[in-house]
Amino acid sequence: MTGASGVPAEPMRPVLGELPHRPRPAWRRTWAMVPIALFLVALFLYPVAQLLWLSIFDKSGGLTGDHYQRLFLSPVYLQVLRITLEVAGWTTALCILGGYPIAYLLATASRRTRDSLILWVLLPFWTSFLVRTFAWIVLLGRNGALNSALQTIGLTEEPTAFLYNMTGVMVGMVHALMPIAVLTMLSVMENIDRNLVPAAATMGARGGEAFWRIYFPLSLPGVAAAGLLVFITAIGFFITPALLGAPQQTMIAQIIIQQVMEMLNYPFAGAIAMLLLVTAIAVFYLYDRALGMSTLAGEATTGQLGGGTRGLVGRVFAGIGTLLTAALGRVTDGIAILWEALAGGRVDRPPRASGRVPLRVAVVLLLIFLAGPSFIIVPVSFTTEGFIEWPPKGISLKWYWAMINDQQWTKAIFRSLIVGFFTACLAMALGGPAAFFLARRRFAGKTAALAFILSPLILPRIVIAVALFYFYARLGLVDTELGLVLGHTVLALPYVVITVMAVLKNYDQRLDQAAASLGASPPRVLWYITVPVIKSGLIAAFLFAFVTSFDELTIALFMSSGISTTLPKQMWDDAIMKVSPLLAAVSTVLLFFVTLVILTAEYFQRRAGAKR
Amino acid sequence: MTPAAAIRSGRRTSHRKSAPKVAQSKLKIRDLRKTYGPVVALAGAGLDLSEGEFLTLLGPSGSGKTTMLMMIAGLTQPDSGEVWIDGKLATYAPAHRRDIGMVFQNYALFPHLTVFENIAFPLRMRRLPEADIAREVGRVLDVVRLPGVGDRLPRALSGGQQQRIALARCIVYRPSIVLMDEPLGALDKKLRDQMELEIKRLHQELGITVLYVTHDQEEAMIMSDRICLMNDARIEQIGSPADLYFRPLTVFAADFLGESNLFNALVEGETGAEIALRGPAGALIRVARDPERPAARGRPVKVMVRPEMLTLLADGALADNVLDARLTQVILVGGVTKYYARLADGTLVSATALTRGPVAGVTPDSPIRLGWSKASGVILAGAERPR
Ligand SMILES: Nc1ncnc2c1ncn2[C@@H]1O[C@H](COP(=O)(O)OP(=O)(O)OP(=O)(O)O)[C@@H](O)[C@H]1O
Ligand SMILES: [Mg+2]
């Protein structure tokens, strides 16, 4: 019906049947959430509930407190509990102390600086905990890089014991978890209006006062969220204390592993896992009471402790907080005034050094601490010797050859790739539609739905792993690829949902509306408009899911054994025997592979962000 | 006197330190320049602002208005040039020592502080005693007509109320100059009109010196004592709204404010108090001589006439200038009626007249005669502004 001029001769009607005159039924509107909900209920909620059940009922079905009694009455376990809380507490404090300046600089820097610096946080965030822990063994060991450096300068004569004590554990833990702290605080700080501090300056506030009275209180929800995530992750941690600590630093997760793997005492392990879970939930509850859960997702914050309704306690704390920040502001400015007096401020010349120089120096040092150590394993992997030492002797590829020629390793690598790929596919299939739904619809209980989907990220992994282990034992899924894929998908889903939601937040929905008004049905809108536009974001989400699985050790620890292990599990088995140059070679390969994947993912994500 | 003491005694803050000044300007800018890499954001601007004046920076997006404001506030550092505030050199002085007030476009109210604490903030920075703070905050809340919202958080206020609080926070410490960067940009039209008058009232009642930024010409005309028209990182023209409207210097200025007819013309010669030009379709145009606008013989210029200065001449009626045209369209806008016509050489002309009942007798394509007095024509420099 198109005329020769290309102009339609008569209006073209879309092919429509009868126009519906009823609202769509509820299931048609919520279908996107159904698969993910079913999946998480079956593979996350149910197993965890079952674990709880197991720990409080005995075989005959009667209520029993035996396991908990044993836990709380034995001095050994109490000691472990104490150490766990102590290590987690210190780790949290140090991660926030070190992470805050990084997040602050990133949040207040220009976009270009931010984009280049944030990679140095993202890389360690995604680098395997195992690889990073090995790096510390190489750095801090008796014959490690640090000791050899100290002895060369002549500061010490004997090797200092940095490892297999509290120092080693703390260094490893802080290093492992600081990226989480930085990224969490950053998400809150990025939502702080950049005009507020300049506004304070025009009203007569010096830098220090503007920071402590305005910026800092507004960033507090981020600090609290970071503290929460770090603390909860730390109490369930086992890699670092196992590899860098002595028996005195045994943490609670190690006891769980021991009970499952060596004692085969599942109910007791279940009880310990439950204790962890309850601790995590209790911490969450307190957090929610104090700040509200929405700050976790980096939503707009008011920085007001206690939200809108402040009780007496809230008022007291707010009062103390105000006094404290005012005092800190004055102290900081006192120092600044002193500095100005020494440096000499002039109004007719641009100031020479910016006040941010100390901050920049500190952040560069912290970033080196975060991203640097991993690379120490690279030279070590080329050694000709059969053990790890510093400096490494000779150059050879023999350990790489050893890896390639050892079927155990190649199979593990292959298996990890396969599991990672299918995990990513499944997570995208389940999480993608859910992310669309969550990003675009408003409905009652949205926050709760999001919290449920994100909870695997927030609960200690070891709890999920143990719960799945029981669940699988009944179904015969232990030691199967399918079991691994399902388990890893539980962990990868939060990343997929968050990433896709973030991309959709920048997506102009009028594009879809325009397409719909031009006659495209919803599936066609999705396929021809939405997906092509957010393609980069989807690829990024896929890659994040892949890496989550590829690097995963906790579930794999229980779920893959003997000849059918994943790469991280194989590395772990090797590492608890002996840290060898072969392991360094594997770690190097892993390090570069994951770095490549993450850089690719970042690239795609930025493209997605730039397009809007 | 310290700023705090000044606020307490209710007196205007003054920074006079040295050198006796006669009728000094509140703000003086000389050759201020700023570049961002290859982008010139401001190319050497000069400006004087006297006490109690309301001056508006008006210009299209990207013309350097915000850049200039930020450098005056000390939030951006200029590449070169000088900023004098209250007779004191302040080019590179830190923002917190300039005693300047600034209202941001999105208000920049501190979300974690109550309205009271927001307004008290600048006073606390000046270490005022608590009793004075309470009194001053109460006073400005009355001034902006929002008493009783002190306990609320900013987000519990409407956009217009937030805007008033931002104003209150800015005037409470009696800064020497108040800078406002498109403070009404986020408000809807009705609220805008209301706030325009409100700000104007505050300016008159308190006698504050204001440097205002907008890209809305109407807003600028309504509020300002003087307008500084900016274009492409430069100051195009500074003058009173009437100056800019009736005597624009450049084509850009004529175009930016209001509507205008621009005729290409060649200067033919001067006779006493008038200049004769050869206009479109060979018509003779006479314009009153203006000593500030030299018109050399033979030079191509543009002559601007506002549409409301053109009248539809009745048969036989006379005027200083007369153009024959053919009517193309008549549009009843409401209070005014617009006539669009075409000259013999195709030049489009528009004339605006007050509506006096239904238009009759003029049909499209009918010949008409347009006339205007020689005093209402303005000669503009060349077709293009020299760069
Ligand atoms: N931080 C910056 N980095 C790079 N270029 C900038 C920066 N700030 C301003 N510019 C550029 O300087 C020029 C002037 O910008 P400015 O913000 O002063 O314009 P404006 O007149 O305030 O415009 P608007 O009405 O849109 O606010 C623009 O071309 C802008 O792109
Ligand atoms: Mg601007």
Side-chain angles (χ1 to χ4, degrees), chain A residues 184-207:
Chain A
T184 314
M185 287 189 275
L186 183 61
S187 71
V188 170
M189 288 183 189
E190 280 184 328
N191 281 321
I192 298 177
D193 182 352
R194 281 184 182 223
N195 271 338
L196 294 183
V197 168
T202 62
M203 283 179 264
R206 291 180 148 275

Side-chain angles (χ1 to χ4, degrees), chain B residues 273-339:
Chain B
E274 73 176 47
I275 297 173
L277 303 102
R278 187 58 58 187
L284 178 72
I285 295 178
R286 286 180 296 176
V287 174
R289 212 169 72 89
D290 180 349
E292 283 172 20
R293 294 165 207 253
R297 212 187 132 80
R299 225 180 80 190
V301 295
K302 289 212 184 243
V303 176
M304 186 214 70
V305 187
R306 296 284 179 198
E308 62 272 21
M309 296 301 177
L310 287 175
T311 40
L312 252 67
L313 296 176
D315 286 340
L318 291 179
D320 296 348
N321 296 289
V322 178
L323 287 177
D324 290 314
R326 273 183 185 280
L327 199 63
T328 54
Q329 218 173 0
V330 181
I331 297 175
L332 172 66
V333 179
V336 296
T337 304
K338 292 188 172 183
Y339 299 85

Side-chain angles (χ1 to χ4, degrees), chain B residues 67-327:
Chain B
T67 305
M68 191 194 295
L69 218 61
M70 290 306 227
M71 288 192 288
I72 295 168
L75 298 172
T76 304
Q77 303 217 330
D79 296 344
S80 62
E82 288 175 357
V83 176
W84 297 74
I85 297 170
D86 264 329
K88 259 180 46 177
L89 185 63
T91 316
Y92 297 102
H96 65 89
R97 283 171 43 190
R98 293 191 181 206
D99 192 31
I100 264 185
M102 181 144 178
V103 179
F104 291 75
Q105 174 164 1
N106 61 354
Y107 320 137
L109 294 176
F110 305 130
H112 62 306
L113 300 179
T114 59
V115 167
F116 181 93
E117 281 304 322
N118 259 286
I119 301 176
F121 187 85
L123 305 178
R124 293 202 193 287
M125 293 303 108
R126 287 164 174 74
R127 312 269 184 263
L128 240 63
E130 205 60 39
D132 293 351
I133 290 181
R135 196 194 63 229
E136 288 297 315
V137 174
R139 181 183 62 81
V140 290
L141 278 176
D142 285 341
V143 169
V144 297
R145 298 177 180 165
L146 277 176
V149 298
D151 288 337
R152 292 206 221 157
L153 285 176
R155 71 185 146 154
L157 299 176
S158 72
Q161 290 172 328
Q162 291 185 17
Q163 172 63 56
R164 282 165 207 247
I165 298 305
L167 271 173
R169 189 176 69 172
C170 187
I171 56 178
V172 69
Y173 58 104
R174 302 169 210 275
S176 12
I177 308 165
V178 173
L179 310 177
M180 302 190 193
D181 192 353
E182 306 201 22
L184 307 181
L187 302 181
D188 59 42
K189 178 73 184 133
K190 208 168 159 205
L191 210 49
R192 263 178 104 109
D193 294 347
Q194 205 181 326
M195 286 306 297
E196 276 169 14
L197 298 179
E198 189 89 346
I199 293 175
K200 191 77 190 150
R201 176 181 67 87
L202 286 177
H203 168 242
Q204 278 157 357
E205 274 175 19
L206 305 175
I208 45 180
T209 311
V210 179
L211 186 58
Y212 191 91
V213 167
T214 183
H215 56 239
D216 180 342
Q217 47 139 330
E218 206 173 292
E219 198 172 301
M221 304 275 282
I222 292 172
M223 304 179 76
S224 325
D225 296 325
R226 282 194 302 156
I227 294 175
C228 168
L229 185 63
M230 304 200 44
N231 178 29
D232 203 9
R234 287 162 206 280
I235 293 178
E236 190 89 9
Q237 186 174 356
I238 303 182
S240 68
D243 256 358
L244 257 73
Y245 190 76
F246 293 113
R247 315 219 63 80
L249 285 172
T250 59
V251 172
F252 175 83
D255 241 7
F256 197 82
L257 273 95
E259 289 171 49
S260 56
N261 290 300
L262 293 168
F263 301 122
N264 290 315
L266 270 177
V267 181
E268 294 224 309
E270 282 177 53
T271 46
E274 73 176 47
I275 297 173
L277 303 102
R278 187 58 58 187
L284 178 72
I285 295 178
R286 286 180 296 176
V287 174
R289 212 169 72 89
D290 180 349
E292 283 172 20
R293 294 165 207 253
R297 212 187 132 80
R299 225 180 80 190
V301 295
K302 289 212 184 243
V303 176
M304 186 214 70
V305 187
R306 296 284 179 198
E308 62 272 21
M309 296 301 177
L310 287 175
T311 40
L312 252 67
L313 296 176
D315 286 340
L318 291 179
D320 296 348
N321 296 289
V322 178
L323 287 177
D324 290 314
R326 273 183 185 280
L327 199 63

Side-chain angles (χ1 to χ4, degrees), chain B residues 46-84:
Chain B
L47 192 71
D48 281 275
L49 189 62
S50 46
E51 171 121 35
E53 193 178 15
F54 195 119
L55 189 138
T56 298
L57 301 181
L58 174 68
S61 192
S63 54
K65 307 180 297 286
T66 299
T67 305
M68 191 194 295
L69 218 61
M70 290 306 227
M71 288 192 288
I72 295 168
L75 298 172
T76 304
Q77 303 217 330
D79 296 344
S80 62
E82 288 175 357
V83 176
W84 297 74

